[in-house]
Amino acid sequence: MVLSPPTLAAIRFGYGLRPGEDVSGDADALLAQIDKGVSEKPRFPREGLTGRVETATRIQAVLAAEAKARQAGKPNEDIRKEVQREAQRIYRQDAMARIAQALHSPAGFYERLASFWVDHFSTSVLKTLPMRAIVPLYEAQAIRPNLGGSFSKLLQAAILHPAMLIYLDQNQSVGPDSIAARRSGRGLNENLGRELLELHTLGAGSGYTQDDVRAAALVLTGLAVDNRALEVVYRPRLAEAGPISLLGRTYQDDEGDGQDHILMLEDLAANPKTAQHVSRKLVRHFIADDPPDEVVQTMVDAWTKSQGNLSDVYRAMLQHPRAWSDPGQKIKKPFEFVVSGFRALDLPEKSFATLVSDMDNEDESPIGKAMEMAGGAAARENARRRAGRANAITLGALQRMGEPIWRPPSPAGFADEARVWLAPGQLSERIAWSRLIARIFGQKMGPSEFLEAALGDAARPETRQIISQAPNKVHGITMVLASPEFNRR
């Protein structure tokens, strides 16, 4: 099937069609979204960057104080439980805001790039309670502003963010011959060094060795997180002294200012194997599980010529003919599926805001308590029912489908291959979700009208025939959302 460029651009490079929204099938127009996206403030963190730093440091301070009291035999479970509730509430609000960001933004390509890079440089809100607040900050602070510039700058922003150091236990790492090691007996933690080489830059199978992993970890010693300011700092007493050799380069911190890790990141960003690894991942994400070598090579050439300018790399991909042929090579991951479903239904801002409000009324939030006092048990039960429904079609749905927001299963992120997302359990969850939102939001359009809104010229004749015979709106809209065309991009 040959699709019109606007339809293919919306489905392959964005979050799907939305009624009334114009999408250009032109590489320049898609690339223009990057500058626009970078310049706009994301919907999360809810209190802004500065406010979120204050929130996260306060949570960490309260937990530290409670832990100290616990060690002294004076635990305070009420305080800890309240912090847990607050951290979960922050995560839920930011996660809903992230769905809203993808749902309502006209810059679909930029949003897809943000999702790609957040997954490439994976962290998880499940690492610690404060990470519920820190990981959304990480995406807004490190990833989104830097995804259109040089890879070197993006790499440094991602690796040298508190979220990454906390997630990969860098605070636990000390040089074997450092002052801290001699005094405490602590040793080297290789987590960040390993993932830096295997996932973030060179790629698995690129020829580096275990000695290289250890060398990278040694260069990174000295880096730690100051929890009071939520900043990455360099602490010489944790650092390994002396020359460290990695991939033919010796790092020895001649100036003693702890900048060898910056030089190492710059060298890794400039390594040809990094260009190959990252370009292949981009093609696998956007175009096909088996990336066409000619597209990858075109992007590697652009990377080399531009010294790693990511916008030039994206341009090389978008201008290649293979980027605009053979639609339907990829299966939508759960987040893409849910967002594109809401977009096809043209869910208004007000309706999504109601879902957020319904979820804020659950648990023991101040709003929920006020409602219970004002309306009694019946009002409280109704609020719980509405909160449950809102969760079932958003965060709960993504959990059941296997892609909860900011909760990857490992530092490697979520799988990006069809075999993972085509399991029978996956498909049954998608059908159940489709049926549920068809009942809730699918009363405005008839099935055939919805088919045009959701798929346009991507709909096959067989699908059009089936939908035209749907016995009712709910069944017809469910079938559209469950169709092969809608689940592929």
Side-chain angles (χ1 to χ4, degrees), residues 12-13 112-113 116 119-120 198-199 202-204 275-293 295-297 299 313 317 322-323 326 328-333 336 412 414-421 489:
R12 174 171 281 178
F13 299 113
R112 285 281 305 284
L113 285 170
F116 170 83
D119 201 61
H120 181 78
E198 178 180 335
L199 303 176
L202 307 179
Q276 182 77 22
H277 173 59
V278 175
S279 295
R280 181 168 291 276
K281 276 193 71 174
L282 280 163
V283 179
R284 178 179 292 115
H285 176 73
F286 282 103
I287 298 176
D289 285 358
D290 186 13
D293 290 338
V295 183
V296 175
Q297 189 57 53
M299 295 167 67
V313 176
M317 176 180 69
R322 289 293 296 271
D326 300 323
Q329 297 299 300
K330 294 290 298 182
I331 294 294
K332 292 179 182 177
K333 294 162 71 173
E336 298 163 6
F414 292 102
D416 202 1
E417 299 170 313
R419 60 179 179 80
V420 175
W421 306 115
R489 56 169 176 79

Side-chain angles (χ1 to χ4, degrees), residues 153-445:
K153 184 177 180 181
L154 175 60
L155 177 67
Q156 291 178 46
I159 300 302
L160 303 179
H161 192 277
M164 185 64 74
L165 268 61
I166 294 169
Y167 180 52
L168 293 178
D169 303 311
Q170 184 61 27
N171 269 6
Q172 308 302 316
S173 184
V174 301
D177 296 322
S178 67
I179 295 172
R182 292 195 294 271
R183 291 180 177 177
S184 67
R186 291 161 54 192
L188 185 67
N189 187 301
E190 297 181 353
N191 288 355
L192 183 55
R194 178 178 296 103
E195 309 309 356
L196 173 63
L197 300 186
E198 178 180 335
L199 303 176
H200 305 145
T201 58
L202 307 179
S206 59
Y208 68 86
T209 67
Q210 174 56 33
D211 288 342
D212 294 321
V213 170
R214 180 177 175 81
L218 288 170
V219 173
L220 292 167
T221 55
L223 292 175
V225 177
D226 179 353
N227 289 332
R228 294 168 298 180
L230 197 63
E231 293 179 348
V232 172
V233 295
Y234 180 74
R235 292 177 173 152
R237 64 184 183 84
L238 305 178
E240 182 76 359
I244 302 168
S245 295
L246 170 65
L247 300 172
R249 167 94 185 246
T250 299
Y251 303 91
Q252 49 192 350
D253 194 18
D254 293 333
E255 303 298 325
D257 56 1
Q259 293 299 299
D260 269 0
H261 61 277
I262 298 292
L263 297 176
M264 177 182 69
L265 294 175
E266 290 175 346
D267 289 341
L268 289 171
N271 193 298
K273 293 177 181 177
T274 296
Q276 182 77 22
H277 173 59
V278 175
S279 295
R280 181 168 291 276
K281 276 193 71 174
L282 280 163
V283 179
R284 178 179 292 115
H285 176 73
F286 282 103
I287 298 176
D289 285 358
D290 186 13
D293 290 338
E294 63 269 30
V295 183
V296 175
Q297 189 57 53
T298 298
M299 295 167 67
V300 170
D301 292 344
W303 186 302
T304 304
K305 184 177 180 180
S306 67
Q307 297 183 321
N309 183 282
L310 290 171
S311 289
D312 286 352
V313 176
Y314 306 147
R315 181 181 297 278
M317 176 180 69
L318 293 172
Q319 289 184 338
H320 197 284
R322 289 293 296 271
W324 301 93
S325 64
D326 300 323
Q329 297 299 300
K330 294 290 298 182
I331 294 294
K332 292 179 182 177
K333 294 162 71 173
F335 185 82
E336 298 163 6
F337 171 72
V338 167
V339 170
S340 60
F342 282 139
R343 284 178 58 83
L345 285 162
D346 199 19
L347 191 70
E349 288 255 14
K350 182 178 179 180
S351 295
F352 195 84
T354 299
L355 296 177
V356 175
S357 177
D358 288 343
M359 293 177 72
D360 284 344
N361 292 340
E362 69 176 339
D363 299 329
E364 297 181 15
S365 67
I367 297 176
K369 291 179 179 178
M371 288 185 61
E372 185 168 12
M373 292 177 63
R380 184 61 176 158
E381 180 58 33
N382 182 55
R384 286 176 177 163
R385 180 183 59 80
R386 292 174 63 88
R389 186 182 75 168
N391 181 70
I393 61 175
T394 55
L395 304 185
L398 293 171
Q399 168 73 31
R400 293 191 305 275
M401 293 180 196
E403 195 184 16
I405 295 174
W406 295 312
R407 290 169 53 187
S410 76
F414 292 102
D416 202 1
E417 299 170 313
R419 60 179 179 80
V420 175
W421 306 115
L422 280 179
Q426 278 282 333
L427 297 179
S428 65
E429 287 292 349
R430 294 189 184 212
I431 293 171
W433 183 84
S434 300
R435 186 180 298 113
L436 184 57
I437 67 163
R439 287 203 305 265
I440 297 173
F441 298 116
Q443 304 304 318
K444 293 181 180 179
M445 289 185 281

Side-chain angles (χ1 to χ4, degrees), residues 16-19 332 337-347 433-435 437-439 441-459 463-464 467-468 470 472-483 486-487:
L17 295 166
R18 181 167 194 158
K332 292 179 182 177
F337 171 72
V338 167
V339 170
S340 60
F342 282 139
R343 284 178 58 83
L345 285 162
D346 199 19
L347 191 70
W433 183 84
S434 300
R435 186 180 298 113
I437 67 163
R439 287 203 305 265
F441 298 116
Q443 304 304 318
K444 293 181 180 179
M445 289 185 281
S448 294
E449 181 186 2
F450 178 67
L451 178 66
E452 293 302 320
L455 290 170
D457 56 325
T463 301
R464 293 181 185 278
I467 299 305
S468 70
N472 54 58
K473 288 183 178 180
V474 170
H475 183 82
I477 290 173
T478 300
M479 292 299 293
V480 173
L481 294 171
S483 67
F486 191 80
N487 282 266

Side-chain angles (χ1 to χ4, degrees), residues 94-108:
D94 280 351
M96 290 293 284
R98 195 180 192 286
I99 296 175
Q101 180 81 28
L103 167 58
H104 299 300
S105 174

